[in-house]
Amino acid sequence: MKSIRKVITDIAHNDIQVLLLLVIISAPLIISTFDTGWFSDDYQVFFINQTKHDMSNPFQLIKNFLEPRSDYHLIPIHNIINYLLIKVNSSSQWIHIFVISTFILTGFILFKIICKTHKDRIFALFCSLLFIISYDLSIKSLVFHCLHYNTTNTLTGLVAFYYVINYMSSKKLKDLVLVLLFLLLSIFNYESGFVFLPIIGVFIVSNYLMSRVNMKDTVYILLVLFLSAGIYAGYGYYFTNKIFPIYTFRSSPVSNQDLIEKQIKLRDPQKYHGHNKSEDKINQIT
């Protein structure tokens, strides 16, 4: 019994061994799902979009990444990830290995976070192992390639959380910048990344109430949260005239027309104004 405890303690105090253990624990998942292949929307998200990108000049390629999707999602990071993945290798196995690796790294970041919050590496190890073996809770995003955003933005969201904790002790501007960066990577990967704003907000306010962080640092972190939401709102308004298009467009009866006109205006302003003039002439005649 003592030897088992010693092995666990040795592993918990070595980051590389922790990461290797997470990989070993994930082996059954990797092997059993390795040949899942492409399915349903995978063909559109990866291959049809890739064909569109390959036919675009560099300027148009950037616009392809930045513009909202037809279902009103603002996901430039997701678009870029998919583009780079297919450029590296177009096999489904490569995409699957990438997604599973992201999942394992998320477990490792969770280990590092709990080490900082609880100061107990053995407890942190068991928490990360529990996260990994609970893969059935996120199995859809692990085997359905086009839904990998729920896995990838969980990783970047937890990295943002890690740097929040780091800032509480370091007080360095660099950590605040990294919090903002990884929050934006999460939000613009998919809107589900917004979940980390209230998570971090509740965490930092509760730590302030328990006198673990001072007022100034609490305000700085809250400002970063508001800034990340504000950047998303400004981005959405620029492209769609709505600050949160995924909600407002789906609840508006004229949403499709608004988005189409906004995209026409951004792509070709002269054509857009010409289109409006021709409509005015028709309205005058009628």
Side-chain angles (χ1 to χ4, degrees):
M1 195 70 180
K2 289 183 178 179
S3 61
I4 295 175
R5 183 176 179 83
K6 184 179 184 304
V7 170
I8 294 173
T9 302
D10 290 343
I11 293 173
H13 285 80
N14 187 306
D15 286 352
I16 295 177
Q17 290 183 12
V18 170
L19 188 56
L20 288 174
L21 180 60
L22 296 180
V23 172
I24 293 169
I25 295 296
S26 302
L29 172 64
I30 297 170
I31 295 169
S32 62
T33 60
F34 189 69
D35 289 324
T36 300
W38 304 107
F39 178 73
S40 185
D41 288 349
D42 286 343
Y43 295 100
Q44 173 188 333
V45 170
F46 287 98
F47 294 109
I48 294 179
N49 286 346
Q50 193 70 22
T51 301
K52 177 184 176 183
H53 297 330
D54 289 341
M55 295 171 63
S56 302
N57 60 46
F59 178 73
Q60 187 60 54
L61 179 62
I62 294 173
K63 295 184 73 173
N64 292 343
F65 293 151
L66 298 180
E67 288 178 346
R69 209 166 66 177
S70 59
D71 55 1
Y72 321 123
H73 288 288
L74 301 175
I75 50 173
I77 299 301
H78 183 64
N79 294 334
I80 293 171
I81 290 173
N82 291 344
Y83 174 80
L84 293 175
L85 285 173
I86 292 296
K87 278 295 184 184
V88 172
N89 194 306
S90 60
S91 71
S92 64
Q93 289 83 2
W94 153 243
I95 307 294
H96 186 62
I97 289 298
F98 168 80
V99 175
I100 296 295
S101 298
T102 302
F103 181 65
I104 294 170
L105 284 174
T106 303
F108 181 72
I109 294 299
L110 182 63
F111 167 78
K112 298 295 288 184
I113 288 173
I114 296 175
C115 284
K116 282 183 170 292
T117 57
H118 290 71
K119 312 298 183 185
D120 187 337
R121 294 182 70 93
I122 295 177
F123 177 69
L125 175 62
F126 279 106
C127 287
S128 62
L129 290 174
L130 181 62
F131 171 81
I132 292 295
I133 64 176
S134 300
Y135 60 82
D136 57 309
L137 299 177
S138 52
I139 191 65
K140 195 171 183 179
S141 63
L142 291 173
V143 299
F144 197 173
H145 299 327
C146 68
L147 301 183
H148 69 73
Y149 48 76
N150 287 326
T151 300
T152 47
N153 69 9
T154 299
L155 172 61
T156 51
L158 284 180
V159 173
F161 194 96
Y162 174 84
Y163 281 110
V164 167
I165 299 170
N166 219 39
Y167 174 75
M168 289 168 60
S169 57
S170 72
K171 317 295 184 185
K172 292 181 180 179
L173 178 62
K174 177 191 74 172
D175 289 322
L176 280 181
V177 172
L178 289 171
V179 171
L180 177 62
L181 172 63
F182 283 102
L183 281 177
L184 292 177
L185 289 175
S186 297
I187 292 170
F188 285 112
N189 189 351
Y190 220 75
E191 285 83 1
S192 56
F194 268 106
V195 71
F196 288 99
L197 272 63
I199 288 174
I200 292 173
V202 169
F203 174 78
I204 195 64
V205 170
S206 62
N207 273 270
Y208 169 73
L209 294 176
M210 291 185 288
S211 301
R212 294 176 179 173
V213 61
N214 60 41
M215 172 66 80
K216 183 178 74 171
D217 292 332
T218 301
V219 170
Y220 283 162
I221 293 172
L222 291 177
L223 285 175
V224 169
L225 300 183
F226 282 112
L227 179 59
S228 61
I231 291 172
Y232 178 91
Y235 186 96
Y237 187 81
Y238 175 77
F239 280 103
T240 66
N241 284 332
K242 306 290 182 180
I243 61 173
F244 199 71
I246 188 62
Y247 170 76
T248 53
F249 273 126
R250 289 186 176 185
S251 62
S252 171
V254 294
S255 60
N256 287 330
Q257 187 62 29
D258 287 347
L259 182 60
I260 290 169
E261 290 188 2
K262 182 70 174 178
Q263 289 185 337
I264 292 173
K265 184 177 180 180
L266 287 168
R267 286 176 176 272
D268 194 342
Q270 293 182 348
K271 184 177 180 180
Y272 177 80
H273 291 305
H275 174 70
N276 284 345
K277 288 178 182 178
S278 62
E279 281 191 349
D280 292 340
K281 288 181 181 179
I282 292 171
N283 290 334
Q284 290 174 5
I285 294 172
T286 56

